[in-house]
Amino acid sequence: MLWTCSRAALGLGAAVLVAGCGARAAELLPSDAASVLANHTIDAPDPSRTGPFEVGYLTYGSGEDRNREAFRDSVVIRTESVDASKFVSLGSSARERNRFWGFPPSRVPLNARVWYPEGEGPFPLVLVVHGNHNMRDYSDPGYDYLGELLASRGFILASVDMNFINGGIRGENDARGWLLLKHLEAWRAFNEDEGTPFHGRVDMSRIALMGHSRGGEAVAHAAAFNRLERYPDDGNVTFDFDFDIRSVVAIAPVDGQYAPADRLQPVENVNYMVFHGSHDGDVSGFMGIRQYQRVRFTDGQPWLKALVYVYRANHGQWNTVWGSHDRGPRSGRSLDLDALMPAEEQRQFARVYITAFLEATLKGKRDYLPLFRDHRVAGDWLPPTMYVTRVRDHTFRPLATFEEDVDLTGSEVAGLRLQGDSLSTWREGRLQLRTANSPTEGSSQYNHAVWLGWNNRIAGEDTTDTGPPASYTLTLPDGLAADWRLDDASVLQFELMPTGTVPRPRAAPKTDADSTAADEPAAAPPARAERNEEADKPPVDLSIEVEDARGVRASVPLSRYGPLRRPLPIAILRRADLERERYGSLHELVFQTFTIPLADLVAVEPRLDLGRLAAVRFRFDCAFAGEVIVDDIGFARPDPAFLRAPVPVADAQGAGGTERGRR
């Protein structure tokens, strides 16, 4: 039995570009939030609401800070300095910087602001670290909104001061990561020392690290260094950390500014979340995609990774000190600040996702897991903008990742076959970041995927004639479904995004007359993809079909399981000519994860035998033409709580509202 395609496919076209050197680069895409966020099905307390604990506040540090009273006269706990000279090189600015701060890299302080719950505990510990900024415009106070909220909900949050390695130095993100681990050593001592306010109140078995910008790269380095015995760049520097870091959060991170042993940093066996704004005027490409893809789960423990792309969010508004001017106080002349979402809404997103992630991964609050499967379950919590989300847990087993070779028909699973039928586009390739032509940032996502394009219409005078729907099929080897224990607790999971390409209609099929009439004009060339800038592109939707060994089939429309949008247009700069010159693309290629419970397919066709599943098929029968990029197709068996909240199904036809005011 087959379901018909949803008539609520979200087919948002590209925004209209405005020509002219002095004009704004683009209009904002009308928001689908009025439809996508119209429902709320998750049954859990709002994670952005203040919790039951009274909040205390203090600072710890050197007690000798030359510039900052908070780390001089006001410290409650005095800490010893540490030698960071192996990790930080100040270069030609050393004399000026040492004069300003009053210490060299060999004597850097351990300073932090702490928000904590008034109670006996023990409480999970969260460290957050800022990124690079003007070193005299201190960044560590800018996460107070997270400190107040998390402390009220039973977490200790320390906002770590690393302003002394901010400014014009480079390659210091290893120092930021190492310093976080030195702070954890200090917290272990606080917890053990009867003379500190935190004696016995810190749960050192439940630790999270959060970082913003360069700090977002640094938390990955800290998680890796935590399990190493020696510093990768100098084996004479020994490590002996081994803390119970369970969760890592990266906010608009950079990636690869420090590469240990000339390799991008791998991270294993931690819960990981990254988010980034489309209108980030500093880290203008979603660099965190790369780190997200490098996170691996190898020890069989229950780990989770999540990614969120937030339309109209910028770089600085995650920090209350930094604000909207991502390139300095005068950058309002060049940045399109009018396009940004309100600062409080941007931080509301952070409150919701960070708190829910920490509640789920540090406290085991499983009721929050559906938020990471499908953000549409939380319409009452989220600000009215558009989100693209990815998720993966430790149970995922891939059928095809498109990384293994150049064979379009095979995968890393022995015996599995990939086959396209009537496709206009069928190719594999590497994904790029939108900063592809930037000379200062790596442009590759270091990820390959498959491009699938189709046009079911037949070329000719009557272009409404259609042929059989195009399809892309994964034929499973015999016995795989049984070996992988596929059943109604399993899910089919993959990454997919539509593109802005609409292929041409298919060539008309040849007839006997065509084959014998040599003097007739040649048939139309095979359909090929071309860029279509028209605003009336067909909505994007398709069917996901499975088939068992007996030929029993069941299908569901993909639009039921997440928004299907063409790439969201980005205009960071006010001038269209500079935007095109500076960036390789006016959009970022960000996958949406689609999670389809196999139980839903059994509900469509009860005769379906999941233990003998023989094929998974992408059927392009809901829209006459389009193109999608697909990656990481596989099965998982997630925590049942992951699927607990019903998937909202809203009719997006005629959804009103724009980005500037749904509520």
Side-chain angles (χ1 to χ4, degrees):
M1 182 175 180
L2 309 179
W3 277 17
T4 58
C5 298
S6 167
R7 292 165 56 185
L10 296 172
L12 298 175
V16 178
L17 294 177
V18 179
C21 293
R24 285 179 52 190
E27 296 297 326
L28 287 172
L29 190 68
S31 176
D32 59 19
S35 173
V36 172
L37 299 179
N39 298 289
H40 187 96
T41 61
I42 187 171
D43 186 16
D46 183 343
S48 68
R49 294 289 180 87
T50 301
F53 291 95
E54 295 293 325
V55 176
Y57 171 80
L58 59 78
T59 61
Y60 66 82
S62 66
E64 300 174 353
D65 195 288
R66 174 177 293 183
N67 302 294
R68 311 184 67 191
E69 186 274 339
F71 302 127
R72 183 177 64 247
D73 305 328
S74 300
V75 295
V76 174
I77 306 172
R78 291 197 172 221
T79 54
E80 298 293 327
S81 63
V82 297
D83 183 357
S85 57
K86 290 284 187 179
F87 305 90
V88 177
S89 174
L90 301 182
S92 60
S93 66
R95 177 176 296 182
E96 176 188 355
R97 295 175 67 96
N98 293 344
R99 184 186 307 117
F100 178 80
W101 290 108
F103 54 81
S106 60
R107 293 190 291 108
V108 300
L110 298 179
N111 300 335
R113 301 171 183 272
V114 184
W115 293 264
Y116 60 92
E118 297 282 8
E120 294 184 3
F123 301 107
L125 174 64
V126 182
L127 302 187
V128 61
V129 62
H130 56 82
N132 192 43
H133 193 65
N134 184 338
M135 70 178 187
R136 300 170 191 246
D137 185 24
Y138 310 121
S139 300
D140 51 286
Y143 308 103
D144 53 348
Y145 69 103
L146 293 174
E148 293 279 353
L149 174 63
L150 290 172
S152 77
R153 298 179 68 94
F155 298 88
I156 299 171
L157 183 133
S159 181
V160 173
D161 165 33
M162 294 191 194
N163 291 281
F164 45 81
I165 53 174
N166 274 0
I169 61 176
R170 295 285 181 179
E172 83 297 345
N173 285 347
D174 53 337
R176 296 177 194 268
W178 178 79
L179 281 167
L180 284 171
L181 297 172
K182 302 305 285 186
H183 275 264
L184 288 181
E185 287 183 339
W187 276 97
R188 181 165 55 198
F190 299 164
N191 197 42
E192 295 171 353
D193 186 347
E194 294 183 0
T196 73
F198 299 114
H199 174 61
R201 298 173 64 186
V202 187
D203 188 344
M204 296 297 292
S205 69
R206 292 185 291 169
I207 296 172
L209 302 179
M210 294 198 299
H212 181 187
S213 194
R214 292 193 193 184
E217 179 182 315
V219 291
H221 296 316
F225 287 177
N226 185 53
R227 293 171 178 162
L228 295 180
E229 294 182 3
R230 296 182 183 274
Y231 178 40
D233 289 355
D234 186 346
N236 295 310
V237 178
T238 59
F239 292 161
D240 184 21
F241 297 115
D242 197 28
F243 292 104
D244 287 327
I245 300 171
R246 298 198 58 81
S247 300
V248 172
V249 177
I251 304 169
V254 300
D255 183 61
Q257 290 193 0
Y258 165 70
D262 297 323
R263 294 181 175 90
L264 293 176
Q265 183 72 273
V267 175
E268 291 187 351
N269 303 326
V270 294
N271 300 296
Y272 182 83
M273 182 172 71
V274 59
F275 53 87
H276 195 99
S278 64
H279 286 64
D280 191 314
D282 185 359
V283 184
S284 301
F286 193 170
M287 307 292 287
I289 290 175
R290 308 195 314 190
Q291 180 63 75
Y292 173 87
Q293 291 165 171
R294 297 198 301 273
V295 174
R296 297 287 183 265
F297 306 138
T298 61
D299 63 359
Q301 298 302 306
W303 304 110
L304 175 75
K305 63 178 180 177
L307 173 152
V308 190
Y309 188 55
V310 185
Y311 193 54
R312 296 176 52 223
N314 81 331
H315 193 75
Q317 291 180 163
W318 308 115
N319 181 304
T320 58
V321 173
W322 292 5
S324 61
H325 291 67
D326 286 349
R327 299 182 181 180
R330 297 183 179 179
S331 60
R333 299 177 181 178
S334 60
L335 296 176
D336 185 9
L337 302 184
D338 292 338
L340 302 183
M341 66 191 301
E344 185 53 34
E345 288 188 4
Q346 186 167 325
R347 290 191 279 271
Q348 170 65 10
F349 164 85
R351 291 185 184 97
V352 169
Y353 262 89
I354 289 173
T355 306
F357 185 73
L358 297 179
E359 292 276 11
T361 61
L362 294 188
K363 292 187 176 182
K365 299 289 184 66
R366 298 161 63 242
D367 290 344
Y368 288 111
L369 291 178
L371 174 64
F372 305 103
R373 179 196 87 227
D374 191 330
H375 64 277
R376 296 176 303 163
V377 304
D380 289 347
W381 296 346
L382 294 174
T385 189
M386 293 184 282
Y387 306 92
V388 184
T389 59
R390 294 176 65 178
V391 69
R392 178 75 54 81
D393 78 351
H394 68 291
T395 68
F396 179 79
R397 301 183 70 172
L399 295 170
T401 65
F402 310 102
E403 300 291 339
E404 70 288 347
D405 53 38
V406 296
D407 181 2
L408 290 176
T409 64
S411 85
E412 55 267 54
V413 175
L416 186 142
R417 302 298 294 168
L418 306 171
Q419 185 60 49
D421 182 23
S422 303
L423 292 169
S424 304
T425 308
W426 178 15
R427 68 176 180 87
E428 295 179 11
R430 187 173 66 178
L431 294 157
Q432 298 290 112
L433 296 168
R434 76 179 296 259
T435 50
N437 65 350
S438 169
T440 59
E441 297 182 81
S443 62
S444 175
Q445 291 193 20
Y446 296 104
N447 184 36
H448 288 73
V450 64
W451 274 251
L452 304 172
W454 73 98
N455 193 320
N456 295 331
R457 291 183 172 176
I458 306 298
E461 293 183 5
D462 185 356
T463 56
T464 61
D465 289 345
T466 60
S471 65
Y472 181 72
T473 301
L474 292 79
T475 302
L476 311 186
D478 291 343
L480 180 139
D483 291 345
W484 287 16
R485 297 190 304 119
L486 299 183
D487 59 20
D488 59 5
S490 305
V491 301
L492 173 65
Q493 200 167 66
F494 53 86
E495 321 287 355
L496 181 144
M497 62 177 132
T499 75
T501 296
V502 178
R504 292 176 177 176
R506 301 178 189 176
K510 289 185 178 181
T511 65
D512 292 340
D514 294 328
S515 62
T516 58
D519 57 343
E520 290 293 321
R528 65 179 179 84
E530 66 175 11
R531 189 72 183 176
N532 186 338
E533 298 294 351
E534 296 179 5
D536 58 346
K537 296 178 182 179
V540 179
D541 199 0
L542 58 136
S543 296
I544 303 301
E545 179 180 283
V546 297
E547 182 177 350
D548 69 17
R550 299 170 301 159
V552 176
R553 300 181 181 184
S555 71
V556 291
L558 185 57
S559 56
R560 178 184 173 189
Y561 297 93
L564 281 158
R565 305 187 188 93
R566 293 188 171 92
L568 300 174
I570 304 169
I572 291 175
L573 304 178
R574 289 186 176 275
R575 288 178 51 173
D577 57 333
L578 294 180
E579 188 86 25
R580 289 185 176 278
E581 177 184 325
R582 183 165 298 175
Y583 302 112
S585 174
L586 298 183
H587 57 259
E588 192 79 89
L589 295 177
V590 186
F591 284 116
Q592 172 73 39
T593 297
F594 291 88
T595 300
I596 302 176
L598 296 187
D600 287 4
L601 291 151
V602 173
V604 172
E605 177 48 84
R607 295 179 301 152
L608 186 69
D609 186 349
L610 297 178
R612 300 179 63 196
L613 212 60
V616 173
R617 185 170 296 110
F618 294 74
R619 284 179 56 84
F620 302 105
D621 56 354
C622 296
F624 73 83
E627 184 183 69
V628 295
I629 311 173
V630 185
D631 197 14
D632 290 350
I633 307 166
F635 294 107
R637 193 182 183 86
D639 186 317
F642 190 71
L643 304 173
R644 188 169 294 157
V647 174
V649 180
D651 184 1
Q653 295 292 345
T658 68
E659 287 291 15
R660 300 192 190 279
R662 164 175 158 260
R663 294 174 184 166

